[in-house]
Amino acid sequence: MDLNFFSNLQSSLEQETNRKDEIRSTVKELDRACRKQNAIINQIHANPTGPVPSVDFEEIKQTLQSLAALIPDNEFYKYNDLWSRSTQQAVFLIIFQSYLQKGEIINIIPVVEETLGVKVDIQNNLNEFHIQLEDILHAYISLISELSRLSVNSVTVGDYERPLIISKHVKDLSAGFQILNLKNDMLRKRFDGIKYDVKKIEEVVYDITLRGLHHQANRKRSLDEEEMKKDDASKMKKTE
């Protein structure tokens, strides 16, 4: 038997090991970048009524590009388990920041593609480096958990309106997930855990309603709107 076969095999094994080591090293960099930005956006929990923390996605974007360069053509699914949780975290950061800025849950896919410079595989037919639909769904589930936490922290600073808004958005998102026939075991397991976050938000809303604090929130909003109208009218008079 030609022993060169084993020499060639050893060379292939070493090449594969080196590639995985490079991928794991880059994924660690991606995780560090995500943790850094997660710490920034989590400041909203300390000051729920304050400005939305500014998240810089440039480092995450560049690290994803470095990661993509390590993956041979048509071998995405051979290695994607090594970074799927990291991309889920990156997508979550985009979804959470978008929600805080817009006050609503939107179709995040176009924003993800633009922010990270990576395509989302909507039709499940991409062989190049991409973000899977499962990662998007995982990120939405993480959002529900984060909003549950935010609803509690909002009440502690006297913001009684936000939990009511969050409750509606989370119920809409939960209803959307119920339409899906989830085949992914991990995704299904996480979806089943949504009910605990929904229940926590419902308890917050129930307590607000029971104490009549939602009326206080409505009055405050009405006063704020009247004040804004007065300011606008005053500005118009000055321009005249």
Side-chain angles (χ1 to χ4, degrees):
M1 183 177 180
D2 187 359
L3 295 182
N4 286 331
F5 166 76
F6 291 99
S7 297
N8 294 334
L9 183 61
Q10 178 61 27
S11 177
S12 297
L13 291 173
E14 290 176 354
Q15 184 179 4
E16 178 69 7
T17 299
N18 291 336
R19 179 179 293 120
K20 284 187 176 180
D21 288 342
E22 285 187 90
I23 292 173
R24 290 191 181 99
S25 177
T26 306
V27 169
K28 286 182 180 178
E29 294 178 15
L30 179 60
D31 288 338
R32 281 195 294 268
C34 288
R35 285 197 302 270
K36 186 191 304 181
Q37 300 308 317
N38 190 59
I40 292 173
I41 202 167
N42 266 331
Q43 293 172 4
I44 193 66
H45 292 292
N47 186 16
T49 58
V52 177
S54 178
V55 178
D56 184 1
F57 289 97
E58 188 58 33
E59 184 180 1
I60 295 175
K61 180 179 180 179
Q62 291 179 359
T63 308
L64 278 172
Q65 291 174 350
S66 299
L67 180 60
L70 296 174
I71 312 304
D73 293 340
N74 300 317
E75 293 190 15
F76 174 88
Y77 290 102
K78 182 177 180 180
Y79 303 102
N80 74 298
D81 285 343
L82 297 175
W83 64 75
S84 60
R85 288 193 178 185
S86 304
T87 51
Q88 290 166 19
Q89 179 63 23
V91 173
F92 159 73
L93 290 171
I94 296 173
I95 293 178
F96 192 27
Q97 179 178 254
S98 172
Y99 181 84
L100 293 175
Q101 291 173 340
K102 300 178 183 298
E104 60 181 345
I105 297 173
I106 64 171
N107 173 12
I108 205 66
I109 290 176
V111 183
V112 168
E113 292 182 331
E114 180 181 355
T115 304
L116 300 181
V118 180
K119 290 183 179 180
V120 176
D121 190 7
I122 301 174
Q123 303 297 331
N124 290 317
N125 59 1
L126 292 180
N127 291 319
E128 63 192 85
F129 188 89
H130 60 269
I131 292 174
Q132 299 180 92
L133 277 178
E134 285 86 351
D135 294 341
I136 301 291
L137 295 176
H138 273 291
Y140 274 119
I141 291 175
S142 296
L143 176 67
I144 292 176
S145 178
E146 204 69 21
L147 291 181
S148 171
R149 179 185 174 196
L150 183 60
S151 67
V152 174
N153 291 330
S154 295
V155 170
T156 62
V157 296
D159 184 355
Y160 305 118
E161 184 177 11
R162 173 172 266 174
L164 305 179
I165 298 172
I166 286 176
S167 177
K168 179 184 183 305
H169 291 160
V170 166
K171 286 180 179 178
D172 290 344
L173 191 54
S174 177
F177 269 97
Q178 291 175 8
I179 296 173
L180 302 176
N181 181 19
L182 300 175
K183 301 287 182 69
N184 183 301
D185 290 341
M186 182 57 68
L187 198 56
R188 181 73 208 181
K189 184 176 180 181
R190 290 198 66 201
F191 169 70
D192 290 340
I194 286 178
K195 59 187 177 185
Y196 300 107
D197 292 313
V198 173
K199 182 179 179 181
K200 183 188 294 185
I201 296 170
E202 287 176 342
E203 289 173 351
V204 172
V205 170
Y206 175 77
D207 193 49
I208 290 173
T209 306
L210 189 65
R211 296 170 183 267
L213 298 175
H214 61 301
H215 297 308
Q216 179 180 328
N218 291 335
R219 285 195 298 271
K220 182 179 182 302
R221 186 172 67 252
S222 298
L223 291 172
D224 290 340
E225 289 174 354
E226 289 179 8
E227 191 66 28
M228 288 178 64
K229 289 178 181 178
K230 289 179 181 178
D231 290 341
D232 292 340
S234 177
K235 289 177 182 178
M236 288 180 66
K237 288 182 179 179
K238 288 181 180 180
T239 55
E240 292 174 355

